[in-house]
Amino acid sequence: MSINLQIKSFEEYKEKYAKSVADPEGFWSEIAEDFLWQKKWDSVLEWNFDEPKIEWFKGAKLNITENALDRHLAERGDKLALIWEPNDPKEQFVRYTYRELYERVCQFSNALKTKGIKKGDRVCIYMPMVPELTIAVLACARIGAIHSVIFAGFSATAVSDRVNDAQAKMIITADGLNRGAKQIPLKRVIDEALATCSSIESVIVYDCLGWDISMTENRDYWWHDVVKDEAKICSAEVMDAEDMLFILYTSGSTGKPKGVVHTCGGYMVYTAYTFQNVFQYQESDIYWCTADIGWITGHSYIVYGPLISGATTVMFEGIPTYPDAGRFWQIIDKHGVNQFLTAPTAIRSLMAYGEDHVLSYSLDSLKMLSSVGEPINEEAWKWYYLHVGKERCPVADSWWQTETGGIMISGIGNLSPMKPTFAGYPMPGIQPVLLDQEGNEITAANVEGYLCIKAPWPSIIRTTYGDHERCRINYFSHYKGYYFTGDGAKRDENGMYRIIGRIDDVINVSGHRFGTAEIENAINTNKNVIESAVVGYPHPVKGQSIYAFVVLDKVTEDALMTKGEIVESVVAEIGKIAIPEKIQFVTGLPKTRSGKIMRRILRKVAEGDVSNLGDTSTLLDPAVVEEIVANALI
Ligand code: PRX
């Protein structure tokens, strides 16, 4: 495969876009021709959004790893597939050519098979950002096992929830991980999680830190032991285009995180297509996305999209501020990175250190910049464009979601016009609409509405694991005939979209997604708590932060200690990433007479905007609001 799915001009984008809307099947089948299929499809697309039932490339057979590895061997066998940069700059980086990566993946695939893993089994992966994480993901895909990567910051309870929901047979983990100056245990978390997971038969442990850890006999195996006698070739399992490729858990506005399911064929086509277009990757470029593979961005734009396209992808173990706030820029110069993708929260945190760090590096290799995960404010956009891109590099703000599998609305390399804070244009094949509250499409220019998508694209969510009805209710029942994103957006006179943020009870903290109910449930596990309500509020670095209003069963004698215990409950249930920045004890929550919490009021209090709280007369107890306002933590 060559990198030949690229649009070359904005005019061509407009033509392709028009074709993709007029004839989606013709458009996508032409693109799909560029991939390696063991058998071509019987039909390109069959769908309805009512059940929902969405099938792309039905009847086709493939293995995504043959596209990401095998077919590059002839022409790109010696090309670098992966560059791994360690947490500590003094440590040696690691590079794998496509042939080396292929061999490692095959070897580990054989090890998985020896341990009894077969097609359709679920394998959870809870690992540091080391090459073995990419190898584990690809090895699962090669043998048809369904991977479920769990971000290595989640707690034992969060891990066991995910393992149990997926009824996973195996966990792949490490002794611990490096994160800046800290080392964080992982296997200990797994041991705790496994106390409540009966489906797990074996654990493979990668030796990342050289720690002496406890290993349970006949359950736990070292990575280096399981691979040592395995062959470096392994035939790829034949997968149906609609067979599950992976599950990735993400938070919604209700209940526990749900397992978003992506399938093999459509996900492959869409991630490669968008990778090649958004980043305008050229054959000898070095591409770097700073996300963690624990999230969808890492799946689609560190592993699958780049490797399917034959690109060189960089993987970084550490954090932007270790050993100093110049670490990202140093890595760009060190490896000659051409395309760079990061999150607004990282840009804002580095901005806070001033320009000196970024100005000490040349950054000459950069050709384009991109941002993902949350709205990018104008100040951060300008800093990124000016100091990192030196006004030479376009900034593509890409909007998408775990459920969409790939980038939906974005700038396209240096082809499309840029406008700070606007994500840009829909990718070919994506038909966004803005709806009003009644579900009518708003077609005028310069309008705001609920962002929905009118027709399926190849990497759309297929189901939520084990509970299809949940998928229907969450995404396809709000407005009949549309995929509901949960985001609000604005469209300007040129058809560019600006994402305003979530309109449901989802909070986005440093690009990490949480449901308010999920955090409230965690807080409520504390024995002193009667109930709680959580809202997001703007934060200068994290984008949003968490504010918790908590009702205790009796007045606390030591507020600080009780807050500490509540924080511990959140850490135990979810992980440190979900700790509320502010906790306010209240004697009651503002509720309607039917018992519904009026979050609108709490959001205003958290934002520090208490001048106009709107009509509070419908509340069960309006006096509660006065007390909350008087004691607000602003
Ligand atoms: O609210 C939007 C925000 O992140 C949500 C999706 O989160 P997640 O599934 O974790 O995926 C993040 C990485 C793709 C969206 O509903 N979001 C994502 N990208 C942007 C964004 N908000 C504004 N601008 C973006 N570029």
Side-chain angles (χ1 to χ4, degrees):
M1 182 211 198
S2 52
I3 302 157
N4 56 4
L5 300 176
Q6 258 161 16
I7 295 164
K8 298 278 189 311
S9 68
F10 194 52
E11 279 313 304
E12 192 188 342
Y13 158 76
K14 288 190 212 157
E15 278 163 33
K16 287 263 156 67
Y17 186 79
K19 173 162 189 211
S20 76
V21 173
D23 176 19
E25 296 190 25
F27 176 80
W28 286 112
S29 61
E30 208 173 288
I31 288 170
E33 287 292 341
D34 213 59
F35 295 77
L36 184 64
W37 304 89
Q38 293 159 358
K39 173 186 171 289
K40 293 267 172 74
W41 45 94
D42 302 321
S43 70
V44 179
L45 172 63
E46 289 179 20
W47 69 289
N48 74 70
F49 274 177
D50 296 329
E51 295 175 60
K53 189 171 166 75
I54 303 149
E55 293 172 306
W56 281 94
F57 311 115
K58 196 172 169 183
K61 305 282 180 199
L62 76 152
N63 187 290
I64 198 166
T65 70
E66 287 188 328
N67 284 270
L69 298 168
D70 307 43
R71 92 181 144 146
H72 299 310
L73 295 180
E75 284 174 25
R76 299 192 181 96
D78 297 324
K79 175 176 173 172
L80 289 181
L82 188 72
I83 300 176
W84 176 75
E85 175 65 27
N87 177 61
D88 181 350
K90 292 200 268 327
E91 223 183 278
Q92 182 56 37
F93 57 85
V94 173
R95 300 196 291 198
Y96 288 110
T97 62
Y98 269 94
R99 181 160 297 103
E100 287 164 340
L101 186 62
Y102 164 82
E103 287 178 354
R104 300 268 173 162
V105 169
C106 285
Q107 199 178 30
F108 194 62
S109 302
N110 286 324
L112 292 179
K113 286 208 238 177
T114 303
K115 284 280 163 275
I117 300 298
K118 43 186 199 324
K119 181 175 176 177
D121 287 343
R122 276 79 57 213
V123 173
C124 288
I125 304 178
Y126 185 72
M127 286 194 76
M129 277 290 286
V130 292
E132 285 68 19
L133 167 53
T134 299
I135 291 166
V137 163
L138 292 172
C140 287
R142 189 153 188 97
I143 66 167
I146 299 163
H147 57 77
S148 165
V149 184
I150 303 172
F151 174 64
F154 279 118
S155 69
T157 307
V159 170
S160 73
D161 285 348
R162 286 158 175 75
V163 168
N164 287 331
D165 189 78
Q167 285 295 291
K169 221 164 139 180
M170 175 189 271
I171 295 187
I172 305 168
T173 189
D175 46 356
L177 62 78
N178 290 302
R179 193 176 157 73
K182 293 189 210 137
Q183 293 194 318
I184 297 166
L186 293 184
K187 176 61 166 45
R188 213 160 69 200
V189 177
I190 294 300
D191 286 341
E192 195 186 329
L194 290 195
T196 51
C197 299
S198 55
S199 61
I200 294 292
E201 292 172 7
S202 52
V203 180
I204 295 182
V205 187
Y206 174 68
D207 182 5
C208 183
L209 303 178
W211 283 359
D212 186 14
I213 54 166
S214 87
M215 298 285 279
T216 302
E217 211 171 325
N218 296 325
R219 188 198 72 180
D220 301 350
Y221 306 91
W222 287 106
W223 178 295
H224 51 259
D225 288 336
V226 298
V227 295
K228 74 174 181 288
D229 297 325
E230 297 292 354
K232 290 181 180 165
I233 54 169
C234 172
S235 60
E237 188 71 38
V238 179
M239 304 296 283
D240 194 276
E242 282 298 335
D243 277 341
M244 283 188 204
L245 173 63
F246 67 84
I247 307 170
L248 187 57
Y249 285 83
T250 192
S251 299
S253 48
T254 53
K256 293 226 179 235
K258 46 191 176 293
V260 171
V261 170
H262 285 291
T263 56
C264 298
Y267 179 82
M268 167 179 78
V269 169
Y270 195 74
T271 52
Y273 180 74
T274 47
F275 170 75
Q276 293 181 30
N277 280 296
V278 169
F279 303 105
Q280 290 287 309
Y281 181 87
Q282 303 302 313
E283 183 65 55
S284 54
D285 286 347
I286 310 278
Y287 158 89
W288 179 23
C289 162
T290 70
D292 191 293
I293 295 174
W295 310 113
I296 190 69
T297 308
H299 282 62
S300 303
Y301 299 108
I302 296 178
V303 181
Y304 286 111
L307 294 177
I308 294 165
S309 305
T312 302
T313 180
V314 177
M315 200 177 157
F316 176 42
E317 185 186 27
I319 57 172
T321 48
Y322 179 81
D324 62 44
R327 184 69 167 125
F328 273 2
W329 323 129
Q330 184 240 343
I331 294 173
I332 290 173
D333 276 4
K334 179 173 176 182
H335 297 293
V337 171
N338 303 108
Q339 290 91 3
F340 179 66
L341 166 59
T342 195
T345 190
I347 300 167
R348 289 190 295 261
S349 76
L350 295 174
M351 274 167 71
Y353 289 85
E355 278 83 63
D356 286 356
H357 287 287
V358 66
L359 295 180
S360 8
Y361 296 93
S362 90
L363 306 181
D364 279 349
S365 56
L366 285 175
K367 295 202 264 190
M368 92 154 271
L369 303 173
S370 190
S371 147
V372 65
E374 37 171 333
I376 179 162
N377 50 310
E378 190 150 359
E379 203 190 345
W381 192 100
K382 288 190 167 150
W383 192 88
Y384 198 29
Y385 181 68
L386 185 67
H387 297 300
V388 183
K390 318 283 185 207
E391 297 180 87
R392 279 187 300 107
C393 305
V395 176
D397 174 8
S398 59
W399 170 84
W400 56 296
Q401 308 177 301
T402 305
E403 295 85 344
T404 71
I407 294 171
M408 301 286 281
I409 296 180
S410 176
I412 304 166
N414 55 0
L415 311 181
S416 58
M418 283 187 302
K419 186 164 164 184
T421 76
F422 275 70
Y425 294 91
M427 296 304 295
I430 305 305
Q431 299 184 46
V433 290
L434 298 180
L435 300 186
D436 65 16
Q437 285 215 334
E438 282 72 49
N440 305 308
E441 285 187 26
I442 318 171
T443 50
N446 291 311
V447 285
E448 261 180 53
Y450 299 149
L451 180 61
C452 292
I453 316 286
K454 216 171 167 167
W457 60 98
S459 64
I460 186 173
I461 179 175
R462 299 302 198 271
T463 188
T464 41
Y465 191 79
D467 189 353
H468 192 63
E469 180 62 1
R470 199 166 171 203
C471 173
R472 188 187 70 75
I473 290 173
N474 268 286
Y475 307 108
F476 299 94
S477 70
H478 292 75
Y479 298 108
K480 194 174 158 44
Y482 297 94
Y483 165 80
F484 177 70
T485 67
D487 280 313
K490 208 179 227 173
R491 187 177 47 226
D492 76 2
E493 62 285 0
N494 298 315
M496 279 180 112
Y497 285 84
R498 174 186 186 164
I499 311 303
I500 298 163
R502 299 291 301 201
I503 48 168
D504 53 7
D505 290 326
V506 167
I507 308 178
N508 190 332
V509 185
S510 300
H512 302 156
R513 212 171 128 174
F514 301 104
T516 51
E518 188 187 357
I519 303 169
E520 287 159 8
N521 290 342
I523 293 174
N524 298 350
T525 60
N526 186 291
K527 62 181 186 321
N528 299 316
V529 173
I530 293 182
E531 63 174 339
S532 60
V534 156
V535 294
Y537 67 97
H539 184 280
V541 174
K542 299 176 182 177
Q544 276 190 300
S545 215
I546 300 165
Y547 194 131
F549 298 86
V550 179
V551 183
L552 298 175
D553 74 342
K554 55 179 185 303
V555 177
T556 176
E557 314 239 301
D558 187 340
L560 217 54
M561 194 173 89
T562 311
K563 283 184 186 179
E565 286 166 4
I566 289 171
V567 164
E568 273 171 33
S569 303
V570 174
V571 172
E573 292 293 309
I574 308 174
K576 282 192 180 145
I577 48 178
I579 293 176
E581 187 122 329
K582 294 182 179 174
I583 299 174
Q584 179 180 350
F585 295 131
V586 296
T587 56
L589 296 169
K591 287 187 185 168
T592 60
R593 279 172 228 280
S594 59
K596 195 170 171 314
I597 298 171
M598 296 269 281
R599 283 172 199 281
R600 176 179 58 76
I601 294 175
L602 296 177
R603 250 181 244 124
K604 287 214 152 206
V605 172
E607 284 163 14
D609 173 17
V610 292
S611 57
N612 179 15
L613 291 177
D615 183 12
T616 55
S617 62
T618 56
L619 291 177
L620 198 58
D621 178 9
V624 143
V625 176
E626 283 165 38
E627 179 218 296
I628 291 176
V629 170
N631 300 322
L633 305 169
I634 309 167

